[in-house]
Every structure is written in C-alpha cells, then in structure tokens.
Amino acid sequence: MISSQTAPKPLTRNEGLKENSPMLAGTIAQTLADAAAERFSDDDYEFLKFHGIYQGDDRDTRKVAKHYQYMIRGRLPGGIVPPDQYIAFDDIACRFANKTLRITTRQSFQFHGVTKTALGPLMKAINAAMATTIAACGDVNRNVMAAPTPATSPLVDLIQQHAKEVSDALVPKTKAYHQIWVEGVELKLTEEEKNFVDPLYGKTYLPRKFKIAFAIPPLNDVDVFTNDLGFIAIIENEKLVGYNLTAGGGLGMSHGNVQTYPRVADLIGFFPTDKLIDVSKGVLTVHRDFGDRTNRKHARLKYVIEERGLEWFRNELETRLGFKFAPARAYKFSRQGDIYGWHKQLDGNYFLTLFVENGRIKDTDTYQLKTALRRVVEQFRPEMRLTPSQNLILVGVKPEQRDAIDKIFADHHIKTEKQGSNTRLASIACPALPTCGLALAEAERFSPELMTRIEGLLTELNIADEEIVVRMTGCPNGCARPYMAEIAFVGRGPGKYQLYLGGNVESTRLNQLWKENLKDADIIAELRPMLTRFVETRQIGERFGDWIVRSWFQEHPPVPRFAGDKI
Ligand code: SRM
Ligand code: SF4
C-alpha cells in the first residue's frame, strides 16, 4: 500500500483536458456555430487560450449583469508589424473590438471588448492580414521578444530574424486553429487525429506558459532576466558570434503564498548561433519534462531550477544537447526602456519612438493617436515595431518625410519630441480593470493620474527631470514586470497596493516589498519622506532605486518576502 506521504499528487484539471483533446479543439467550433450559446464552456475556455483568445466579462458592469466578451492577443515575434498589417489591425479594432489597440509588454497587440458574434470574423481578418494568434497564450511558448530599436546595432535585423526562427520552430502543430478560424469548418477528426501527439510538445504540451527574449547589450529593453529563456547577443568585431543563455526567470506570484515568487534568470553559458534552435528546444523540453503538473501556481521553469539547482539544470540541458556550454562571455547592460523621439538609423534613414501611455492606441477629445498613426502609416508606410515598454517605433523613415510626419502628429496633439516627463516616459501599467478577470485593483486607468501626482511631488522637490522607473499592476501576477521597477505598485484590493522599491535601471535586480495595503490616496504621503531624503543624501548621478538599496533599506529594512529572493 502506498502511504499518503508518498502517493503522487493528482495532476491538474488542465492536464486531463490536454490529454483528452490534444488537438486543442475541445468543442470550440460547435459553440462558435451555436448562435444561442452566449459563452464557451469552462473546458473550452482553456483551449481557447492556446488559440490566443481569453473569455471574460466587463467587470464594470458585472454587478448588473455578466456581459461576456473576448480578448484576442496576436503572435508578433520581435513586435514587428508591416504597414499593411497595421492598417488591417486598425480596421479590425474598429469593426470587431472596442476601437482601441493595446500594445502589450511582450511586443504584441491585444484586441479588447470583442463579442462572441464578432469573434469568428475578427479571427478570420487577423489571419487574412497574414498574422496569427496561435500560441499567443496557453501552455506553450509565447510571443518571442527581441530588441526592437534599430540604431543600437547593425545586427538588430539578424537577431530579429533569429527570434522569428525560434518562434516558428516552437509553434504547436495542431490543425485545429486553421480549421476553426481560417477555414471556418466544423472539426471532424479521424481516430488518428484524436490521438494527435505534437512532435515537440507531446500530448499534454507544457505544464505552463514559457517565455523567450533576445537582448542586445547595452540595452536591456526586453527585460531579459524575467524570461524563462533568454538570449543575450554577444557581438565581437561587429559580428554576432553567439549568445549567452539565461534561464529560469519569471515574475508571477500570489499574495501571501511564499511558495510563489519572482525570480531573475541565471546565466548559464555561451553557445554559437548555429545551436540556437537546439538550445531553445532543449530548455523548453526540460520545462516540459520536469515542470510541476500538479500545481499550476508552481509550474514554471524558475521553480524547477530553483529547487533542483543550477548544476542539475546545466547537466540535464547539456546531456540533451550533446555539447557543453562555454563560460558566459562578457557583456554589460546600462539600462532598460526605450529611446524616445527621432533618431538616425545606421542606414541614414530615421526612426521615431512614440510614447504610448500604457500601450493604449486610441482617440480621445484631446489626443488622437489612433487616427494620426493610421494617416502616417497609410501615407508613408513605415514598418512599425512594438516595444516591451508598450511603446511603438516607426522604422525606416526617409529624412524628407520627417516634417510631414511631425505635422500629422502635431495636428492630432501628439508630440514627437519631449513627449512627457522622464518618469512618466519610464512608466508602464497592465490593463487590469475592467477587462482582466484577475485584477484586484486598477492599473491602466489609474496610472496616468498617479503619474501626474508623482510628477507634482518631483517638481516640489526640485527634481522634475528625474527618471524613476515606475510600474503598476492590478494584481501580483506581474504583467507589467513590476518587480524589476525602482518603484512598483501591485494591486492588493480595491484602491490598495503593495509598494515595492529598489529595482535598478539595468533591470537586473528584483525590488523588495516596502509597504503593504497602501491606499491610493496615501501614495504621495508615503513617497514624500523617502524622496526628500533621496534628494538630500544621494551621491552624484545616483538613481532612486540604487539609493534605496544603498541607503534607505540600511536604515529601514524592507519586508522580507520571497523564498527565492537572492538579494
Ligand atoms: Fe500577463 C495573465 C495581460 C505580460 C504574468 N496576463 C494575464 C491575463 C491573460 C489574465 C488572465 O489570465 O485571465 C491578462 C489579460 C488582461 C487583459 O485584460 O488584457 C494578462 N500579461 C498581460 C499583458 C497584456 C500586460 C500588458 O500590460 O501588456 C501582457 C501580454 C504579453 C503578451 O503579449 O504575451 C502580459 N504576464 C505578462 C508578463 C510580462 C512578460 O511576460 O514580460 C508576466 C510576468 C512574467 C512571467 O510570466 O512570469 C505575466 N500574466 C502573468 C501571470 C502569472 C504567471 C505565473 O507564472 O504565475 C498570469 C496569470 C496566469 O497565467 O494564470 C497572467
Ligand atoms: Fe491582470 Fe494581474 Fe496581469 Fe494586471 S498583472 S493584467 S491585473 S493578471
């Protein structure tokens, strides 16, 4: 008899669902065709995620009645959007969604507020624009991030190409996506297809999501250490010689559950570029084979590495790959974030980085970014790149086009230079209410007003030009990567936030919990004494996050928090 201590823990419900419907089809096609069905079943909801679709409801109106609606996320490796695709997405947002486009923290677009009736046509239109949403969510590799800023290196395009190749190599092979959304036919699976086994993922896919990013030092704009798998480009004599591999990053946690914690990735070693796809598959399959399938809150690669140890992980990976990693090569990150305004590219053309507050492309009475972008893209056809800080870059603008583009933006009240205070430009926030089913507090809707209050405080202290990285999320899942920020607000309940302090501008250090359950109305009063002290005692050029760790936390120890906190 197996004692209760040694009995294996039961697998999660999701594991059973994947096992029973490995094509990831469920009964999606049937429910889609059934006009009387107001929503998909809970089981189908899990499959929908693999197709890039989330089912939720409008949380503003939930108390009156539950209005089901859908969020659709694209798969856009490296955040690259050709002009025709942007025009198609703009049309799609107007015809089938809530007339806004939302740039995500992983360089993709989300459409919000889509009704069940509009879902089919929207998915068809996305695919007609030569884009896809497959595997944008679900227990698979997600959108691969890659450094988007053109001027940083002549090798940006090559590294973007590598990101696309890795993304393509890790796409699940199910036919269901195409049949349901593109062909629009009801799935009739043969017996063999019912027992489909994906050649990479197997029958039950991954235990949980998996994320990859490519960084080009010195800019850590992709927040590489927060990814399950990271590639840091090593460029010597202007040639890409290979990548340093990082593994085991991730940010999601739950309040009050010390078994869950944010973790920065470990540096594993260096490898040459011809091994890129093998290494990607190697790390992904370690997650596939060793991730915890009994507890989804504990199912990320970061826990496998933290608990089994780095040496175990390296050995396991090297055994799978059949070669050993060389010691990591030297590299240095100097900052995260984007480089705003107009800049000359290496080819003589220009790129323009526009601040998009919290990633929301929309029109209001005082600001018409959506209309202006549409006009610029139609008239001048620049490539668009979405950034991990929820901004966008127009690439390949000819010198003689700049003035006309500036005029279009100015006519729509959009600045192309001096686009905001340095601290506002360094802020991001997740969508939270009303679309996110997991939000405990406001983020995107509150962050602009909070930034105005913080700007007021910085002006009062004579440091109006200071750049402080501020991030806000509506819950502890970490979608706007709050745990890397110099100041972060993480939703705890309506109008209440956990305040974290002490990330660094290179985005290599986790911040620490300073205050729990801080009311939104008390945020400025909480920040004032420490910012005042910062102004009085900082060293020359010292940033707020570094000062917090060097000085403030020495006198006022933070709340000890994470089991995996290595600081
Ligand atoms: Fe996220 C879940 C939005 C980047 C960690 N995330 C969600 C969902 C889908 C809520 C849900 O499961 O019902 C959110 C949809 C809200 C809405 O209304 O649109 C959501 N996550 C986002 C986006 C849109 C935030 C943004 O401000 O842009 C980002 C979409 C990225 C993309 O294009 O793929 C987004 N999410 C992230 C990141 C940051 C990153 O990847 O660089 C993280 C932290 C890194 C990580 O994964 O560890 C992140 N999201 C999570 C988690 C916690 C995962 C965990 O390991 O515990 C959840 C909850 C879950 O999966 O159960 C989650
Ligand atoms: Fe939703 Fe939480 Fe992610 Fe914000 S951090 S989008 S509230 S899951």
Side-chain angles (χ1 to χ4, degrees):
M1 200 179 109
I2 303 172
S3 82
S4 60
Q5 275 181 329
T6 55
K9 288 195 211 150
L11 298 180
T12 62
R13 171 175 158 268
N14 295 57
E15 294 304 313
L17 291 174
K18 291 180 278 185
E19 172 81 36
N20 293 331
S21 187
M23 276 285 195
L24 307 171
T27 55
I28 294 173
Q30 292 87 327
T31 311
L32 193 67
D34 178 0
E38 66 162 348
R39 62 181 284 250
F40 294 87
S41 69
D42 291 348
D43 287 358
D44 281 348
Y45 175 33
E46 298 303 324
F47 295 123
L48 278 173
K49 292 182 190 170
F50 288 83
H51 302 229
I53 300 167
Y54 280 82
Q55 176 169 271
D57 67 301
D58 181 347
R59 295 191 54 191
D60 281 346
T61 57
R62 186 184 277 183
K63 279 197 181 132
V64 184
K66 216 165 180 180
H67 295 294
Y68 286 100
Q69 58 180 27
Y70 299 84
M71 177 273 274
I72 292 84
R73 185 185 287 165
R75 181 181 181 92
L76 301 167
I80 293 199
V81 186
D84 283 336
Q85 228 169 55
Y86 181 74
I87 291 167
F89 291 166
D90 183 66
D91 282 340
I92 290 167
C94 293
R95 289 178 63 202
F96 306 119
N98 69 354
K99 301 186 171 39
T100 72
L101 282 156
R102 175 60 156 71
I103 305 172
T104 74
T105 51
R106 295 194 69 79
Q107 301 179 275
S108 189
F109 271 133
Q110 282 188 179
F111 299 94
H112 281 117
V114 178
T115 61
K116 179 166 169 278
T117 329
L119 186 57
L122 178 144
M123 294 291 284
K124 230 183 168 102
I126 288 179
N127 282 275
M130 306 303 287
T132 182
T133 64
I134 190 164
C137 323
D139 298 344
V140 281
N141 173 54
R142 304 289 186 90
N143 200 39
V144 176
M145 291 212 274
T149 306
T152 50
S153 152
L155 296 165
V156 171
D157 290 347
L158 176 63
I159 291 160
Q160 278 279 355
Q161 178 58 33
H162 285 173
K164 170 90 171 61
E165 287 165 14
V166 168
S167 172
D168 290 348
L170 306 184
V171 174
K173 300 282 183 281
T174 168
K175 294 195 309 200
Y177 179 87
H178 199 264
Q179 289 194 357
I180 298 171
W181 306 110
V182 182
E183 294 169 28
V185 295
E186 194 170 319
L187 272 187
K188 296 231 171 2
L189 298 178
T190 61
E191 276 315 302
E192 197 188 331
E193 284 170 336
K194 280 186 192 152
N195 285 309
F196 170 73
V197 179
D198 185 276
L200 174 65
Y201 289 100
K203 210 171 172 191
T204 49
Y205 296 82
L206 301 179
R208 203 71 162 81
K209 58 181 83 169
F210 188 77
K211 298 182 171 179
I212 302 179
F214 286 72
I216 309 179
L219 194 58
N220 187 14
D221 48 3
V222 295
D223 249 334
V224 69
F225 293 101
T226 64
N227 285 264
D228 297 272
L229 167 53
F231 296 115
I232 300 175
I234 301 297
I235 298 170
E236 291 170 0
N237 300 322
E238 298 186 3
K239 285 212 164 58
L240 178 68
V241 292
Y243 290 102
N244 279 348
L245 171 70
T246 67
L251 298 182
M253 58 165 278
S254 304
H255 291 308
N257 178 352
V258 289
Q259 259 127 36
T260 64
Y261 45 84
R263 184 178 192 275
V264 290
D266 292 295
L267 192 56
I268 309 296
F270 171 85
F271 68 93
T273 49
D274 62 337
K275 300 275 193 283
L276 182 60
I277 302 295
D278 291 346
V279 171
S280 306
K281 288 184 176 173
V283 179
L284 181 136
T285 56
V286 174
H287 172 46
R288 181 194 67 191
D289 299 343
F290 291 94
D292 186 350
R293 290 183 188 260
T294 67
N295 176 1
R296 287 181 69 79
K297 286 202 176 298
H298 183 254
R300 297 293 293 272
L301 180 66
K302 64 182 175 181
Y303 300 117
V304 175
I305 296 182
E306 184 67 31
E307 289 160 19
R308 292 178 182 255
L310 194 54
E311 279 323 297
W312 172 88
F313 175 74
R314 193 194 306 273
N315 286 338
E316 178 63 36
L317 185 58
E318 289 179 343
T319 307
R320 282 169 191 240
L321 292 170
F323 69 85
K324 289 200 176 302
F325 289 92
R329 300 252 176 118
Y331 69 95
K332 190 161 172 41
F333 286 123
S334 56
R335 55 172 297 124
Q336 52 77 60
D338 292 323
I339 300 165
Y340 292 102
W342 285 106
H343 298 273
K344 203 169 189 171
Q345 294 173 190
L346 293 155
D347 65 1
N349 287 328
Y350 284 80
F351 72 89
L352 170 65
T353 307
L354 283 177
F355 173 60
V356 182
E357 193 151 42
N358 303 325
R360 189 69 67 176
I361 298 179
K362 62 181 177 188
D363 283 349
T364 68
D365 292 346
T366 52
Y367 163 96
Q368 293 90 34
L369 178 61
K370 189 164 170 298
T371 302
L373 271 177
R374 174 79 185 230
R375 285 192 54 196
V376 168
V377 176
E378 275 179 346
Q379 207 171 324
F380 301 101
R381 306 189 58 75
E383 177 184 279
M384 189 180 282
R385 293 189 190 173
L386 311 179
T387 83
S389 292
Q390 305 172 327
N391 297 311
L392 63 85
I393 309 177
L394 301 178
V395 179
V397 176
K398 299 201 168 48
E400 61 275 17
Q401 297 174 334
R402 277 183 54 174
D403 286 350
I405 291 178
D406 273 338
K407 174 151 183 1
I408 293 177
F409 282 122
D411 288 347
H412 294 84
H413 314 287
I414 316 284
K415 290 182 181 162
T416 53
E417 300 291 350
K418 296 198 172 60
Q419 297 174 36
S421 71
N422 290 330
T423 288
R424 187 180 295 264
L425 296 186
S427 70
I428 56 177
C430 75
L433 295 165
T435 52
C436 179
L438 305 178
L440 305 171
E442 296 280 353
E444 184 183 324
R445 293 196 295 197
F446 174 46
S447 161
E449 184 201 321
L450 177 63
M451 292 315 301
T452 304
R453 289 191 218 161
I454 291 177
E455 283 168 345
L457 178 59
L458 297 183
T459 304
E460 177 191 314
L461 299 172
N462 287 322
I463 50 168
D465 290 338
E466 192 70 25
E467 182 193 75
I468 302 177
V469 177
V470 180
R471 295 180 175 177
M472 170 171 261
T473 55
C475 86
N477 280 318
C479 298
R481 296 188 289 272
Y483 309 113
M484 309 308 287
E486 294 179 283
I487 301 179
F489 304 95
V490 173
R492 186 72 163 113
K496 286 188 189 150
Y497 298 87
Q498 308 288 83
L499 172 59
Y500 288 81
L501 300 173
N504 60 353
V505 73
E506 303 90 335
S507 240
T508 55
R509 178 176 71 209
L510 289 172
N511 53 23
Q512 287 170 276
L513 181 64
W514 167 251
K515 183 93 182 180
E516 301 197 77
N517 282 310
L518 179 61
K519 289 199 189 114
D520 51 14
D522 297 339
I523 288 174
I524 296 302
E526 182 65 29
L527 292 177
R528 184 177 279 107
M530 62 183 83
L531 276 162
T532 306
R533 190 97 183 103
F534 166 62
V535 172
E536 289 162 0
T537 67
R538 74 191 295 192
Q539 293 171 350
I540 292 168
E542 190 173 30
R543 293 195 57 116
F544 181 67
D546 294 334
W547 173 83
I548 282 282
V549 174
R550 179 185 65 78
S551 175
W552 184 261
F553 280 168
Q554 303 311 315
E555 293 162 29
H556 314 83
V559 183
R561 197 65 355 190
F562 312 127
D565 196 343
K566 289 180 284 183
I567 297 168

